Amino acid sequence: MKLLVAILNFRTTDLTIDCLRSLEPEVVRTPGIRVAVLENGSGQEDAFPRLQRAIAEHAWGAWAAVTASQANLGFTGGNNLLIRRALASDDPPEYVLLLNSDTRVEPRALGALVGHMDRTPAAGIAGSTLLSAEGEIQASPFRFGSIAAELDRGLRLGAVSRLLSRWAVVMPTPPAACAVDWVSGASMILRSTMLEEIGLLDEGLFTYFDDLDLCLRARRAGWETWFVPESRVIHLEGASSGIADHVKRRPAYWFEARRRFLLKNYGRAYAALADAAFIGGFAAWRVRRRLQGKPDVDPPHMLADAFHHSVFRAGFALNEVRRP
């Protein structure tokens, strides 16, 4: 098998079916692709039979299969279940593509990723250009974070942002393929030999910060991460998780994943400085927003939640994220 595409059904089965529909021409165009769908404890009673019916009715069974988990294993556990099964099969994949169910692949998106990996043996990971439904480019390639970036993320002051621009996590979208720090897990291809060396996704993160964690582990093991702009994927950001909705309170597991990532990869002192930088900057922003009459677009209770889940309140233990 050349490529395994792993898709997790989380919230809306219609999205997963639309994603499969967009994959059909890619599978025909690029030989050796198989698609594995996991009904990941979405709580929808009809989700698994609906996915089965869709695969049968559209004659996708030659390249797609669906399995079910009673429990929500998160992004990490769900993908690891599919990856382990594929790597242990009689025809293990050369590559694995993690693809969100709230995506639609554009023509030749998969072929561009596979072709780039074939041509770049040092690449362990590569990611796509992510587009909104209206065709606008979303943040795709990123820099690894820093204390300065955490301050800027909270403070949101133009002069400071310009001063700290070289450390900004979101980087300008490159016009050509290039090595970057990390790419979004919404559409991320992984080399199987790299996974065998560094391990699979950290299931202790559950969901969020897993793509960043994997790219950092790959970098530290000598593997490169690339951004491939020719691979274009429409991403209905947040549709599978709901986290992009600024009206909603950010879930506890997002903050817990962030804390685990920082402690695991950078240690206690760095995690404390990162928390202090964001909380201090964000508190200043909240005061300035009120004084200047700016609209409130932050998730509810963001400042209180950031402190509650920081190392100052939650401690320095390297805990696994609590399942919702």
PDB file of all heavy atoms in Angstrom, residues 196-210:
ATOM      1  N   GLU A 196       7.882   4.648  12.923  1.00  0.00           N
ATOM      2  CA  GLU A 196       8.498   3.501  13.583  1.00  0.00           C
ATOM      3  C   GLU A 196       9.677   3.919  14.447  1.00  0.00           C
ATOM      4  O   GLU A 196       9.977   3.290  15.463  1.00  0.00           O
ATOM      5  CB  GLU A 196       8.939   2.480  12.532  1.00  0.00           C
ATOM      6  CG  GLU A 196       7.764   1.801  11.824  1.00  0.00           C
ATOM      7  CD  GLU A 196       8.185   1.013  10.604  1.00  0.00           C
ATOM      8  OE1 GLU A 196       9.391   1.055  10.260  1.00  0.00           O
ATOM      9  OE2 GLU A 196       7.315   0.364   9.979  1.00  0.00           O
ATOM     10  N   GLU A 197      10.342   5.012  14.070  1.00  0.00           N
ATOM     11  CA  GLU A 197      11.497   5.492  14.825  1.00  0.00           C
ATOM     12  C   GLU A 197      11.087   6.332  16.031  1.00  0.00           C
ATOM     13  O   GLU A 197      11.604   6.124  17.146  1.00  0.00           O
ATOM     14  CB  GLU A 197      12.414   6.313  13.918  1.00  0.00           C
ATOM     15  CG  GLU A 197      13.612   6.898  14.645  1.00  0.00           C
ATOM     16  CD  GLU A 197      14.476   7.774  13.755  1.00  0.00           C
ATOM     17  OE1 GLU A 197      14.326   7.703  12.521  1.00  0.00           O
ATOM     18  OE2 GLU A 197      15.289   8.534  14.305  1.00  0.00           O
ATOM     19  N   ILE A 198      10.173   7.291  15.841  1.00  0.00           N
ATOM     20  CA  ILE A 198       9.867   8.250  16.914  1.00  0.00           C
ATOM     21  C   ILE A 198       8.588   7.919  17.679  1.00  0.00           C
ATOM     22  O   ILE A 198       8.323   8.499  18.729  1.00  0.00           O
ATOM     23  CB  ILE A 198       9.774   9.688  16.370  1.00  0.00           C
ATOM     24  CG1 ILE A 198       8.507   9.892  15.530  1.00  0.00           C
ATOM     25  CG2 ILE A 198      11.018  10.052  15.586  1.00  0.00           C
ATOM     26  CD1 ILE A 198       8.250  11.334  15.152  1.00  0.00           C
ATOM     27  N   GLY A 199       7.802   6.984  17.175  1.00  0.00           N
ATOM     28  CA  GLY A 199       6.553   6.633  17.826  1.00  0.00           C
ATOM     29  C   GLY A 199       5.362   7.356  17.229  1.00  0.00           C
ATOM     30  O   GLY A 199       5.509   8.270  16.410  1.00  0.00           O
ATOM     31  N   LEU A 200       4.180   6.938  17.637  1.00  0.00           N
ATOM     32  CA  LEU A 200       2.948   7.501  17.085  1.00  0.00           C
ATOM     33  C   LEU A 200       2.560   8.772  17.849  1.00  0.00           C
ATOM     34  O   LEU A 200       3.350   9.335  18.593  1.00  0.00           O
ATOM     35  CB  LEU A 200       1.842   6.450  17.147  1.00  0.00           C
ATOM     36  CG  LEU A 200       2.135   5.111  16.467  1.00  0.00           C
ATOM     37  CD1 LEU A 200       0.892   4.217  16.492  1.00  0.00           C
ATOM     38  CD2 LEU A 200       2.641   5.291  15.046  1.00  0.00           C
ATOM     39  N   LEU A 201       1.344   9.228  17.629  1.00  0.00           N
ATOM     40  CA  LEU A 201       0.849  10.419  18.294  1.00  0.00           C
ATOM     41  C   LEU A 201       0.795  10.197  19.810  1.00  0.00           C
ATOM     42  O   LEU A 201       0.534   9.088  20.274  1.00  0.00           O
ATOM     43  CB  LEU A 201      -0.543  10.766  17.774  1.00  0.00           C
ATOM     44  CG  LEU A 201      -0.645  11.087  16.281  1.00  0.00           C
ATOM     45  CD1 LEU A 201      -2.107  11.180  15.874  1.00  0.00           C
ATOM     46  CD2 LEU A 201       0.080  12.374  15.952  1.00  0.00           C
ATOM     47  N   ASP A 202       1.022  11.258  20.565  1.00  0.00           N
ATOM     48  CA  ASP A 202       0.992  11.184  22.026  1.00  0.00           C
ATOM     49  C   ASP A 202      -0.458  11.128  22.487  1.00  0.00           C
ATOM     50  O   ASP A 202      -1.165  12.137  22.473  1.00  0.00           O
ATOM     51  CB  ASP A 202       1.697  12.408  22.613  1.00  0.00           C
ATOM     52  CG  ASP A 202       1.651  12.432  24.137  1.00  0.00           C
ATOM     53  OD1 ASP A 202       1.123  11.479  24.746  1.00  0.00           O
ATOM     54  OD2 ASP A 202       2.141  13.422  24.718  1.00  0.00           O
ATOM     55  N   GLU A 203      -0.912   9.956  22.921  1.00  0.00           N
ATOM     56  CA  GLU A 203      -2.309   9.806  23.322  1.00  0.00           C
ATOM     57  C   GLU A 203      -2.622  10.551  24.614  1.00  0.00           C
ATOM     58  O   GLU A 203      -3.791  10.796  24.922  1.00  0.00           O
ATOM     59  CB  GLU A 203      -2.659   8.316  23.436  1.00  0.00           C
ATOM     60  CG  GLU A 203      -2.586   7.607  22.095  1.00  0.00           C
ATOM     61  CD  GLU A 203      -3.089   6.173  22.131  1.00  0.00           C
ATOM     62  OE1 GLU A 203      -3.886   5.842  23.033  1.00  0.00           O
ATOM     63  OE2 GLU A 203      -2.667   5.386  21.257  1.00  0.00           O
ATOM     64  N   GLY A 204      -1.600  10.947  25.346  1.00  0.00           N
ATOM     65  CA  GLY A 204      -1.811  11.759  26.529  1.00  0.00           C
ATOM     66  C   GLY A 204      -2.311  13.153  26.212  1.00  0.00           C
ATOM     67  O   GLY A 204      -2.844  13.849  27.079  1.00  0.00           O
ATOM     68  N   LEU A 205      -2.159  13.590  24.951  1.00  0.00           N
ATOM     69  CA  LEU A 205      -2.648  14.903  24.541  1.00  0.00           C
ATOM     70  C   LEU A 205      -4.127  14.872  24.161  1.00  0.00           C
ATOM     71  O   LEU A 205      -4.767  15.927  24.105  1.00  0.00           O
ATOM     72  CB  LEU A 205      -1.829  15.420  23.348  1.00  0.00           C
ATOM     73  CG  LEU A 205      -0.384  15.813  23.664  1.00  0.00           C
ATOM     74  CD1 LEU A 205       0.406  16.014  22.370  1.00  0.00           C
ATOM     75  CD2 LEU A 205      -0.321  17.070  24.513  1.00  0.00           C
ATOM     76  N   PHE A 206      -4.627  13.687  23.822  1.00  0.00           N
ATOM     77  CA  PHE A 206      -6.025  13.472  23.435  1.00  0.00           C
ATOM     78  C   PHE A 206      -6.359  14.180  22.125  1.00  0.00           C
ATOM     79  O   PHE A 206      -6.499  13.554  21.084  1.00  0.00           O
ATOM     80  CB  PHE A 206      -6.986  13.925  24.546  1.00  0.00           C
ATOM     81  CG  PHE A 206      -8.423  13.572  24.264  1.00  0.00           C
ATOM     82  CD1 PHE A 206      -8.818  12.251  24.251  1.00  0.00           C
ATOM     83  CD2 PHE A 206      -9.360  14.561  24.017  1.00  0.00           C
ATOM     84  CE1 PHE A 206     -10.146  11.905  23.986  1.00  0.00           C
ATOM     85  CE2 PHE A 206     -10.685  14.231  23.754  1.00  0.00           C
ATOM     86  CZ  PHE A 206     -11.073  12.902  23.744  1.00  0.00           C
ATOM     87  N   THR A 207      -6.499  15.491  22.153  1.00  0.00           N
ATOM     88  CA  THR A 207      -6.790  16.289  20.963  1.00  0.00           C
ATOM     89  C   THR A 207      -6.173  17.668  21.165  1.00  0.00           C
ATOM     90  O   THR A 207      -6.274  18.229  22.251  1.00  0.00           O
ATOM     91  CB  THR A 207      -8.312  16.428  20.750  1.00  0.00           C
ATOM     92  OG1 THR A 207      -8.882  15.132  20.554  1.00  0.00           O
ATOM     93  CG2 THR A 207      -8.636  17.295  19.540  1.00  0.00           C
ATOM     94  N   TYR A 208      -5.533  18.188  20.120  1.00  0.00           N
ATOM     95  CA  TYR A 208      -4.842  19.481  20.105  1.00  0.00           C
ATOM     96  C   TYR A 208      -3.405  19.375  20.596  1.00  0.00           C
ATOM     97  O   TYR A 208      -3.091  18.605  21.504  1.00  0.00           O
ATOM     98  CB  TYR A 208      -5.600  20.565  20.885  1.00  0.00           C
ATOM     99  CG  TYR A 208      -6.926  20.868  20.239  1.00  0.00           C
ATOM    100  CD1 TYR A 208      -8.129  20.505  20.845  1.00  0.00           C
ATOM    101  CD2 TYR A 208      -6.980  21.454  18.978  1.00  0.00           C
ATOM    102  CE1 TYR A 208      -9.342  20.745  20.236  1.00  0.00           C
ATOM    103  CE2 TYR A 208      -8.186  21.700  18.357  1.00  0.00           C
ATOM    104  CZ  TYR A 208      -9.371  21.345  18.988  1.00  0.00           C
ATOM    105  OH  TYR A 208     -10.568  21.565  18.376  1.00  0.00           O
ATOM    106  N   PHE A 209      -2.545  20.131  19.931  1.00  0.00           N
ATOM    107  CA  PHE A 209      -1.102  20.193  20.160  1.00  0.00           C
ATOM    108  C   PHE A 209      -0.407  18.898  19.758  1.00  0.00           C
ATOM    109  O   PHE A 209       0.797  18.766  19.915  1.00  0.00           O
ATOM    110  CB  PHE A 209      -0.771  20.560  21.614  1.00  0.00           C
ATOM    111  CG  PHE A 209      -1.175  21.952  21.978  1.00  0.00           C
ATOM    112  CD1 PHE A 209      -2.453  22.208  22.471  1.00  0.00           C
ATOM    113  CD2 PHE A 209      -0.305  23.011  21.795  1.00  0.00           C
ATOM    114  CE1 PHE A 209      -2.850  23.498  22.787  1.00  0.00           C
ATOM    115  CE2 PHE A 209      -0.696  24.306  22.110  1.00  0.00           C
ATOM    116  CZ  PHE A 209      -1.967  24.548  22.606  1.00  0.00           C
ATOM    117  N   ASP A 210      -1.159  17.946  19.211  1.00  0.00           N
ATOM    118  CA  ASP A 210      -0.566  16.672  18.784  1.00  0.00           C
ATOM    119  C   ASP A 210       0.268  16.828  17.523  1.00  0.00           C
ATOM    120  O   ASP A 210       1.306  16.192  17.381  1.00  0.00           O
ATOM    121  CB  ASP A 210      -1.667  15.630  18.567  1.00  0.00           C
ATOM    122  CG  ASP A 210      -2.880  16.232  17.891  1.00  0.00           C
ATOM    123  OD1 ASP A 210      -2.866  16.405  16.664  1.00  0.00           O
ATOM    124  OD2 ASP A 210      -3.852  16.560  18.604  1.00  0.00           O
TER     125      ASP A 210
END
